[in-house]
Short mmCIF file of all heavy atoms in Angstrom, two decimals:
data_model
loop_
_atom_site.label_atom_id
_atom_site.label_comp_id
_atom_site.label_asym_id
_atom_site.label_seq_id
_atom_site.Cartn_x
_atom_site.Cartn_y
_atom_site.Cartn_z
N ARG A 1374 -112.12 -30.35 -172.10
CA ARG A 1374 -112.11 -28.85 -172.13
C ARG A 1374 -113.24 -28.37 -173.03
O ARG A 1374 -113.61 -28.95 -173.91
CB ARG A 1374 -110.78 -28.55 -172.87
CG ARG A 1374 -109.54 -28.90 -172.14
CD ARG A 1374 -108.24 -28.47 -172.89
NE ARG A 1374 -107.14 -28.92 -172.19
CZ ARG A 1374 -106.37 -29.98 -172.45
NH1 ARG A 1374 -106.73 -30.78 -173.33
NH2 ARG A 1374 -105.34 -30.22 -171.71
N ILE A 1379 -111.74 -22.36 -174.61
CA ILE A 1379 -110.39 -22.34 -175.40
C ILE A 1379 -110.32 -21.35 -176.51
O ILE A 1379 -109.31 -20.48 -176.60
CB ILE A 1379 -110.17 -23.69 -176.04
CG1 ILE A 1379 -109.97 -24.79 -174.92
CG2 ILE A 1379 -109.08 -23.68 -177.04
CD1 ILE A 1379 -109.99 -26.17 -175.46
N ALA A 1383 -107.79 -18.21 -176.59
CA ALA A 1383 -106.98 -18.00 -177.82
C ALA A 1383 -107.11 -16.54 -178.25
O ALA A 1383 -106.10 -15.88 -178.59
CB ALA A 1383 -107.33 -18.90 -178.85
N VAL A 1386 -105.29 -14.13 -176.05
CA VAL A 1386 -103.82 -14.23 -176.10
C VAL A 1386 -103.51 -13.53 -177.43
O VAL A 1386 -102.48 -12.76 -177.49
CB VAL A 1386 -103.36 -15.67 -176.17
CG1 VAL A 1386 -101.88 -15.79 -176.55
CG2 VAL A 1386 -103.66 -16.31 -174.80
N THR A 1387 -104.23 -13.70 -178.51
CA THR A 1387 -103.83 -13.08 -179.84
C THR A 1387 -103.96 -11.53 -179.67
O THR A 1387 -103.00 -10.84 -180.16
CB THR A 1387 -104.92 -13.57 -180.88
OG1 THR A 1387 -104.89 -14.93 -180.92
CG2 THR A 1387 -104.52 -12.96 -182.29
N ILE A 1390 -100.87 -10.30 -177.97
CA ILE A 1390 -99.72 -10.26 -178.77
C ILE A 1390 -99.69 -9.13 -179.58
O ILE A 1390 -98.58 -8.44 -179.83
CB ILE A 1390 -99.61 -11.63 -179.62
CG1 ILE A 1390 -99.31 -12.79 -178.65
CG2 ILE A 1390 -98.65 -11.61 -180.65
CD1 ILE A 1390 -99.54 -14.15 -179.19
N VAL A 1391 -100.92 -8.92 -180.38
CA VAL A 1391 -100.85 -7.75 -181.40
C VAL A 1391 -100.64 -6.44 -180.49
O VAL A 1391 -99.86 -5.61 -180.99
CB VAL A 1391 -102.29 -7.80 -182.05
CG1 VAL A 1391 -102.39 -6.48 -182.85
CG2 VAL A 1391 -102.33 -9.05 -182.92
N PHE A 1394 -97.11 -5.89 -179.59
CA PHE A 1394 -96.22 -5.39 -180.62
C PHE A 1394 -96.33 -3.93 -180.88
O PHE A 1394 -95.45 -3.23 -181.09
CB PHE A 1394 -96.68 -6.14 -181.98
CG PHE A 1394 -95.83 -7.33 -182.24
CD1 PHE A 1394 -96.45 -8.60 -182.33
CD2 PHE A 1394 -94.48 -7.32 -182.46
CE1 PHE A 1394 -95.79 -9.80 -182.44
CE2 PHE A 1394 -93.78 -8.49 -182.66
CZ PHE A 1394 -94.44 -9.76 -182.70
N ARG A 1398 -93.39 -1.17 -180.24
CA ARG A 1398 -93.02 -0.30 -181.28
C ARG A 1398 -93.11 1.14 -180.84
O ARG A 1398 -92.12 1.89 -181.16
CB ARG A 1398 -94.02 -0.47 -182.46
CG ARG A 1398 -93.56 0.18 -183.77
CD ARG A 1398 -94.52 0.19 -184.75
NE ARG A 1398 -95.47 1.29 -184.69
CZ ARG A 1398 -96.33 1.59 -185.64
NH1 ARG A 1398 -96.46 0.83 -186.57
NH2 ARG A 1398 -97.06 2.65 -185.40
N VAL A 1403 -89.34 3.91 -182.06
CA VAL A 1403 -89.99 3.54 -183.27
C VAL A 1403 -88.98 3.15 -184.38
O VAL A 1403 -88.73 2.01 -184.62
CB VAL A 1403 -90.81 4.63 -183.72
CG1 VAL A 1403 -91.71 4.23 -184.97
CG2 VAL A 1403 -91.83 4.99 -182.61
N THR A 1404 -88.53 4.13 -185.01
CA THR A 1404 -87.72 3.93 -186.25
C THR A 1404 -86.21 3.69 -185.98
O THR A 1404 -85.46 3.79 -186.83
CB THR A 1404 -88.03 4.98 -187.24
OG1 THR A 1404 -87.74 6.15 -186.59
CG2 THR A 1404 -89.27 4.91 -187.84
N SER A 1406 -84.58 1.40 -185.67
CA SER A 1406 -83.98 0.24 -186.19
C SER A 1406 -83.40 0.64 -187.63
O SER A 1406 -82.63 -0.13 -188.08
CB SER A 1406 -84.93 -0.83 -186.36
OG SER A 1406 -85.90 -0.41 -187.20
N THR A 1446 -86.33 19.69 -199.93
CA THR A 1446 -87.50 20.47 -200.26
C THR A 1446 -88.57 19.60 -200.95
O THR A 1446 -89.65 20.03 -200.98
CB THR A 1446 -87.00 21.44 -201.44
OG1 THR A 1446 -86.38 20.81 -202.54
CG2 THR A 1446 -86.19 22.60 -200.86
N TRP A 1447 -88.19 18.30 -201.44
CA TRP A 1447 -89.11 17.50 -202.05
C TRP A 1447 -89.83 16.52 -200.97
O TRP A 1447 -90.65 15.68 -201.38
CB TRP A 1447 -88.54 16.55 -203.16
CG TRP A 1447 -87.19 16.07 -202.85
CD1 TRP A 1447 -85.96 16.51 -203.28
CD2 TRP A 1447 -86.84 14.85 -202.07
NE1 TRP A 1447 -84.99 15.74 -202.73
CE2 TRP A 1447 -85.55 14.70 -202.05
CE3 TRP A 1447 -87.64 13.96 -201.33
CZ2 TRP A 1447 -84.81 13.71 -201.38
CZ3 TRP A 1447 -87.02 12.90 -200.65
CH2 TRP A 1447 -85.64 12.78 -200.67
N CYS A 1448 -89.48 16.76 -199.73
CA CYS A 1448 -90.04 15.88 -198.65
C CYS A 1448 -91.18 16.59 -197.91
O CYS A 1448 -91.01 17.50 -197.12
CB CYS A 1448 -88.87 15.59 -197.67
SG CYS A 1448 -89.37 14.86 -196.19
N GLN A 1449 -92.40 16.05 -198.22
CA GLN A 1449 -93.59 16.74 -197.68
C GLN A 1449 -93.61 16.64 -196.11
O GLN A 1449 -93.77 17.66 -195.36
CB GLN A 1449 -94.87 16.23 -198.22
CG GLN A 1449 -95.14 16.77 -199.50
CD GLN A 1449 -95.52 18.34 -199.53
OE1 GLN A 1449 -94.65 19.11 -199.86
NE2 GLN A 1449 -96.73 18.68 -199.07
N PRO A 1450 -93.29 15.43 -195.64
CA PRO A 1450 -93.34 15.24 -194.10
C PRO A 1450 -92.28 16.33 -193.46
O PRO A 1450 -92.60 16.91 -192.31
CB PRO A 1450 -92.96 13.92 -193.83
CG PRO A 1450 -93.31 13.18 -195.00
CD PRO A 1450 -93.14 14.17 -196.20
N ILE A 1453 -93.75 19.59 -192.66
CA ILE A 1453 -94.62 19.62 -191.51
C ILE A 1453 -93.93 20.08 -190.22
O ILE A 1453 -94.20 20.89 -189.51
CB ILE A 1453 -95.37 18.38 -191.35
CG1 ILE A 1453 -96.14 17.94 -192.56
CG2 ILE A 1453 -96.30 18.38 -190.19
CD1 ILE A 1453 -97.07 18.90 -193.15
N GLU A 1484 -83.07 28.47 -203.85
CA GLU A 1484 -84.37 27.81 -203.63
C GLU A 1484 -84.56 27.20 -202.20
O GLU A 1484 -85.69 27.29 -201.67
CB GLU A 1484 -84.60 26.62 -204.65
CG GLU A 1484 -84.75 27.19 -206.09
CD GLU A 1484 -84.63 26.02 -207.17
OE1 GLU A 1484 -83.79 25.11 -207.02
OE2 GLU A 1484 -85.44 26.09 -208.06
N PHE A 1488 -87.49 28.29 -199.65
CA PHE A 1488 -88.35 27.34 -199.09
C PHE A 1488 -88.34 27.46 -197.54
O PHE A 1488 -89.34 27.46 -196.85
CB PHE A 1488 -87.82 25.84 -199.53
CG PHE A 1488 -88.65 24.78 -199.13
CD1 PHE A 1488 -89.67 24.19 -199.97
CD2 PHE A 1488 -88.45 24.15 -197.89
CE1 PHE A 1488 -90.43 23.08 -199.59
CE2 PHE A 1488 -89.22 22.97 -197.47
CZ PHE A 1488 -90.13 22.56 -198.37
N GLN A 1513 -81.30 7.23 -195.67
CA GLN A 1513 -82.00 6.62 -196.87
C GLN A 1513 -83.35 7.23 -197.11
O GLN A 1513 -83.94 6.94 -198.21
CB GLN A 1513 -82.07 5.17 -196.76
CG GLN A 1513 -80.67 4.41 -196.80
CD GLN A 1513 -80.68 3.05 -196.06
OE1 GLN A 1513 -81.73 2.66 -195.68
NE2 GLN A 1513 -79.49 2.57 -195.86
N PHE A 1514 -83.84 7.86 -196.11
CA PHE A 1514 -85.17 8.45 -196.36
C PHE A 1514 -85.28 9.71 -195.31
O PHE A 1514 -84.51 9.74 -194.43
CB PHE A 1514 -86.27 7.55 -196.18
CG PHE A 1514 -86.23 6.71 -194.92
CD1 PHE A 1514 -86.85 7.04 -193.72
CD2 PHE A 1514 -85.43 5.48 -194.94
CE1 PHE A 1514 -86.81 6.28 -192.67
CE2 PHE A 1514 -85.49 4.74 -193.90
CZ PHE A 1514 -86.12 5.10 -192.66
N LEU A 1515 -86.18 10.56 -195.62
CA LEU A 1515 -86.29 11.84 -194.92
C LEU A 1515 -87.66 11.94 -194.40
O LEU A 1515 -88.64 11.59 -194.92
CB LEU A 1515 -85.85 13.03 -195.86
CG LEU A 1515 -84.63 12.93 -196.45
CD1 LEU A 1515 -84.31 14.12 -197.43
CD2 LEU A 1515 -83.40 13.05 -195.30
N PRO A 1516 -87.90 12.70 -193.27
CA PRO A 1516 -86.86 13.40 -192.51
C PRO A 1516 -86.14 12.34 -191.60
O PRO A 1516 -86.64 11.30 -191.30
CB PRO A 1516 -87.66 14.37 -191.58
CG PRO A 1516 -89.00 13.78 -191.61
CD PRO A 1516 -89.28 12.94 -192.74
N PHE A 1532 -86.37 8.44 -187.51
CA PHE A 1532 -86.62 8.49 -188.96
C PHE A 1532 -88.03 8.58 -189.28
O PHE A 1532 -88.80 7.85 -188.62
CB PHE A 1532 -86.03 7.20 -189.64
CG PHE A 1532 -84.47 7.20 -189.56
CD1 PHE A 1532 -83.83 6.63 -188.52
CD2 PHE A 1532 -83.75 7.76 -190.54
CE1 PHE A 1532 -82.44 6.62 -188.35
CE2 PHE A 1532 -82.46 7.70 -190.62
CZ PHE A 1532 -81.77 7.10 -189.44
N GLY A 1533 -88.41 9.54 -190.18
CA GLY A 1533 -89.78 9.77 -190.49
C GLY A 1533 -90.41 10.76 -189.57
O GLY A 1533 -89.79 11.21 -188.57
N LEU A 1534 -91.61 11.21 -189.96
CA LEU A 1534 -92.32 12.27 -189.15
C LEU A 1534 -92.78 11.75 -187.93
O LEU A 1534 -93.40 10.68 -187.92
CB LEU A 1534 -93.44 12.78 -189.97
CG LEU A 1534 -94.28 13.87 -189.43
CD1 LEU A 1534 -93.52 15.12 -189.19
CD2 LEU A 1534 -95.47 14.20 -190.26
N ILE B 643 -107.43 -29.88 -180.76
CA ILE B 643 -107.91 -28.51 -180.93
C ILE B 643 -106.90 -27.62 -180.37
O ILE B 643 -106.65 -26.42 -180.88
CB ILE B 643 -109.23 -28.31 -180.21
CG1 ILE B 643 -109.83 -27.01 -180.67
CG2 ILE B 643 -109.29 -28.43 -178.76
CD1 ILE B 643 -111.35 -26.90 -180.50
N ILE B 644 -106.21 -27.91 -179.32
CA ILE B 644 -105.13 -27.11 -178.68
C ILE B 644 -104.02 -26.84 -179.67
O ILE B 644 -103.55 -25.69 -179.90
CB ILE B 644 -104.57 -27.71 -177.46
CG1 ILE B 644 -105.64 -27.94 -176.35
CG2 ILE B 644 -103.38 -26.94 -176.92
CD1 ILE B 644 -106.16 -26.74 -175.74
N LEU B 647 -105.21 -24.62 -182.38
CA LEU B 647 -105.21 -23.14 -181.99
C LEU B 647 -103.85 -22.56 -181.87
O LEU B 647 -103.62 -21.39 -182.15
CB LEU B 647 -106.01 -23.15 -180.62
CG LEU B 647 -107.47 -22.96 -180.75
CD1 LEU B 647 -108.15 -23.19 -179.43
CD2 LEU B 647 -107.96 -21.76 -181.47
N LEU B 651 -102.51 -19.29 -183.63
CA LEU B 651 -102.00 -18.17 -182.77
C LEU B 651 -100.54 -17.76 -183.24
O LEU B 651 -100.36 -16.56 -183.42
CB LEU B 651 -101.82 -18.58 -181.39
CG LEU B 651 -103.06 -18.28 -180.49
CD1 LEU B 651 -102.76 -18.90 -179.09
CD2 LEU B 651 -103.41 -16.82 -180.39
N LEU B 654 -100.99 -15.81 -186.48
CA LEU B 654 -101.46 -14.48 -186.31
C LEU B 654 -100.40 -13.63 -185.69
O LEU B 654 -100.27 -12.48 -186.09
CB LEU B 654 -102.73 -14.54 -185.22
CG LEU B 654 -103.99 -15.04 -185.89
CD1 LEU B 654 -105.11 -15.19 -184.85
CD2 LEU B 654 -104.52 -13.95 -186.86
N ALA B 655 -99.59 -14.14 -184.76
CA ALA B 655 -98.59 -13.39 -184.25
C ALA B 655 -97.51 -13.02 -185.28
O ALA B 655 -97.05 -11.82 -185.28
CB ALA B 655 -97.81 -14.21 -183.10
N ALA B 658 -98.95 -10.27 -187.29
CA ALA B 658 -98.92 -9.01 -186.57
C ALA B 658 -97.58 -8.36 -186.60
O ALA B 658 -97.37 -7.23 -186.78
CB ALA B 658 -99.31 -9.17 -185.03
N ALA B 659 -96.50 -9.22 -186.44
CA ALA B 659 -95.05 -8.72 -186.46
C ALA B 659 -94.78 -8.18 -187.88
O ALA B 659 -94.14 -7.14 -188.02
CB ALA B 659 -94.19 -9.93 -186.20
N ASP B 662 -96.48 -4.97 -188.40
CA ASP B 662 -95.67 -3.95 -187.60
C ASP B 662 -94.65 -3.41 -188.35
O ASP B 662 -94.30 -2.29 -188.41
CB ASP B 662 -95.35 -4.64 -186.22
CG ASP B 662 -94.68 -3.64 -185.29
OD1 ASP B 662 -95.47 -2.85 -184.75
OD2 ASP B 662 -93.49 -3.73 -185.20
N ASP B 665 -95.30 -1.08 -191.25
CA ASP B 665 -95.82 0.22 -190.92
C ASP B 665 -94.62 1.20 -190.77
O ASP B 665 -94.90 2.44 -190.74
CB ASP B 665 -96.58 0.11 -189.60
CG ASP B 665 -97.94 -0.39 -189.92
OD1 ASP B 665 -98.32 -0.59 -190.99
OD2 ASP B 665 -98.75 -0.63 -189.01
N LEU B 666 -93.54 0.72 -190.39
CA LEU B 666 -92.44 1.60 -190.09
C LEU B 666 -91.67 2.13 -191.41
O LEU B 666 -91.38 1.35 -192.27
CB LEU B 666 -91.41 0.86 -189.19
CG LEU B 666 -91.91 0.40 -187.90
CD1 LEU B 666 -90.75 -0.30 -187.04
CD2 LEU B 666 -92.61 1.54 -187.01
N PRO B 667 -91.46 3.46 -191.36
CA PRO B 667 -90.70 3.96 -192.55
C PRO B 667 -89.29 3.37 -192.57
O PRO B 667 -88.67 3.06 -191.60
CB PRO B 667 -90.58 5.48 -192.30
CG PRO B 667 -90.95 5.59 -190.87
CD PRO B 667 -91.77 4.52 -190.45
N GLY B 668 -88.89 3.00 -193.87
CA GLY B 668 -87.51 2.41 -193.97
C GLY B 668 -87.46 1.04 -193.80
O GLY B 668 -86.46 0.30 -194.13
N ARG B 669 -88.62 0.35 -193.29
CA ARG B 669 -88.44 -1.10 -193.28
C ARG B 669 -88.69 -1.80 -194.62
O ARG B 669 -88.39 -2.84 -194.79
CB ARG B 669 -89.52 -1.57 -192.20
CG ARG B 669 -89.36 -1.12 -190.82
CD ARG B 669 -88.23 -1.98 -190.13
NE ARG B 669 -88.02 -1.63 -188.86
CZ ARG B 669 -88.64 -2.26 -187.83
NH1 ARG B 669 -89.33 -3.24 -188.03
NH2 ARG B 669 -88.32 -1.86 -186.60
N PHE B 713 -91.77 22.39 -205.64
CA PHE B 713 -90.65 21.65 -205.07
C PHE B 713 -90.74 20.12 -205.17
O PHE B 713 -89.85 19.41 -204.94
CB PHE B 713 -90.53 22.02 -203.57
CG PHE B 713 -90.14 23.56 -203.38
CD1 PHE B 713 -90.98 24.39 -203.00
CD2 PHE B 713 -88.76 23.82 -203.63
CE1 PHE B 713 -90.52 25.77 -202.83
CE2 PHE B 713 -88.31 25.13 -203.54
CZ PHE B 713 -89.21 26.06 -203.14
N LEU B 714 -92.05 19.68 -205.47
CA LEU B 714 -92.20 18.24 -205.46
C LEU B 714 -91.68 17.63 -206.88
O LEU B 714 -91.68 18.36 -207.90
CB LEU B 714 -93.61 17.83 -205.21
CG LEU B 714 -94.21 18.22 -203.96
CD1 LEU B 714 -95.67 17.92 -203.81
CD2 LEU B 714 -93.42 17.60 -202.81
N ILE B 715 -91.17 16.48 -206.85
CA ILE B 715 -90.49 15.92 -208.05
C ILE B 715 -91.52 15.16 -208.80
O ILE B 715 -92.06 14.20 -208.29
CB ILE B 715 -89.31 15.12 -207.61
CG1 ILE B 715 -88.17 16.01 -206.95
CG2 ILE B 715 -88.67 14.35 -208.78
CD1 ILE B 715 -87.08 15.32 -206.40
N PHE B 744 -99.55 12.97 -192.41
CA PHE B 744 -98.61 13.91 -192.01
C PHE B 744 -99.06 15.37 -192.41
O PHE B 744 -98.59 16.42 -191.92
CB PHE B 744 -97.24 13.65 -192.67
CG PHE B 744 -97.25 13.45 -194.10
CD1 PHE B 744 -97.38 14.53 -194.97
CD2 PHE B 744 -97.05 12.21 -194.60
CE1 PHE B 744 -97.31 14.37 -196.37
CE2 PHE B 744 -97.05 11.97 -195.95
CZ PHE B 744 -97.10 13.03 -196.85
N ALA B 745 -100.10 15.53 -193.33
CA ALA B 745 -100.58 16.77 -193.60
C ALA B 745 -102.08 16.64 -194.06
O ALA B 745 -102.38 16.75 -195.20
CB ALA B 745 -99.83 17.47 -194.74
N LEU B 750 -102.29 16.17 -202.02
CA LEU B 750 -101.18 15.96 -202.97
C LEU B 750 -101.66 15.19 -204.17
O LEU B 750 -102.56 14.38 -204.09
CB LEU B 750 -100.10 15.14 -202.26
CG LEU B 750 -99.42 15.72 -201.01
CD1 LEU B 750 -98.44 14.76 -200.51
CD2 LEU B 750 -98.78 17.15 -201.29
N GLN B 783 -90.36 9.83 -207.35
CA GLN B 783 -89.90 10.12 -205.99
C GLN B 783 -91.10 9.68 -205.10
O GLN B 783 -92.22 10.00 -205.23
CB GLN B 783 -89.64 11.56 -205.65
CG GLN B 783 -88.94 11.89 -204.43
CD GLN B 783 -89.96 12.28 -203.40
OE1 GLN B 783 -90.83 13.21 -203.53
NE2 GLN B 783 -89.91 11.55 -202.29
N ALA B 788 -95.09 8.51 -193.62
CA ALA B 788 -94.28 9.30 -192.71
C ALA B 788 -92.93 9.69 -193.25
O ALA B 788 -92.31 10.55 -192.54
CB ALA B 788 -94.01 8.53 -191.38
N ALA B 789 -92.51 9.22 -194.40
CA ALA B 789 -91.07 9.51 -194.79
C ALA B 789 -91.05 9.53 -196.32
O ALA B 789 -91.96 9.00 -196.98
CB ALA B 789 -90.03 8.51 -194.28
N CYS B 790 -90.10 10.35 -196.76
CA CYS B 790 -89.97 10.23 -198.31
C CYS B 790 -88.51 9.78 -198.64
O CYS B 790 -87.61 9.96 -197.96
CB CYS B 790 -90.04 11.78 -198.76
SG CYS B 790 -91.72 12.32 -198.69
N TYR B 791 -88.47 9.20 -199.83
CA TYR B 791 -87.26 8.46 -200.29
C TYR B 791 -86.65 9.36 -201.41
O TYR B 791 -87.39 9.88 -202.23
CB TYR B 791 -87.64 7.10 -200.70
CG TYR B 791 -88.17 6.31 -199.53
CD1 TYR B 791 -89.55 6.53 -199.21
CD2 TYR B 791 -87.43 5.37 -198.84
CE1 TYR B 791 -90.09 5.88 -198.08
CE2 TYR B 791 -88.02 4.75 -197.79
CZ TYR B 791 -89.25 5.02 -197.38
OH TYR B 791 -89.78 4.35 -196.32
N PRO B 792 -85.37 9.34 -201.54
CA PRO B 792 -84.74 10.11 -202.60
C PRO B 792 -85.27 9.72 -203.94
O PRO B 792 -85.73 8.63 -204.16
CB PRO B 792 -83.28 9.80 -202.45
CG PRO B 792 -83.03 9.27 -201.10
CD PRO B 792 -84.32 8.65 -200.67
N PRO B 793 -85.16 10.68 -204.95
CA PRO B 793 -85.70 10.34 -206.28
C PRO B 793 -84.91 9.08 -206.90
O PRO B 793 -83.77 8.92 -206.60
CB PRO B 793 -85.36 11.55 -207.13
CG PRO B 793 -85.13 12.59 -206.08
CD PRO B 793 -84.70 11.96 -204.83
#
Side-chain angles (χ1 to χ4, degrees):
Chain A
R1374 293 182 181 97
I1379 291 169
V1386 171
T1387 306
I1390 289 170
V1391 172
F1394 270 114
R1398 193 185 86 172
V1403 186
T1404 47
S1406 60
T1446 52
W1447 43 259
C1448 165
Q1449 281 295 101
I1453 305 302
E1484 287 172 317
F1488 184 92
Q1513 291 153 14
F1514 49 93
L1515 301 173
F1532 290 88
L1534 178 67
Chain B
I643 191 162
I644 299 287
L647 276 171
L651 271 177
L654 283 171
D662 186 71
D665 283 351
L666 300 182
R669 293 285 183 96
F713 290 107
L714 298 179
I715 295 170
F744 53 74
L750 300 179
Q783 191 267 304
C790 288
Y791 300 76

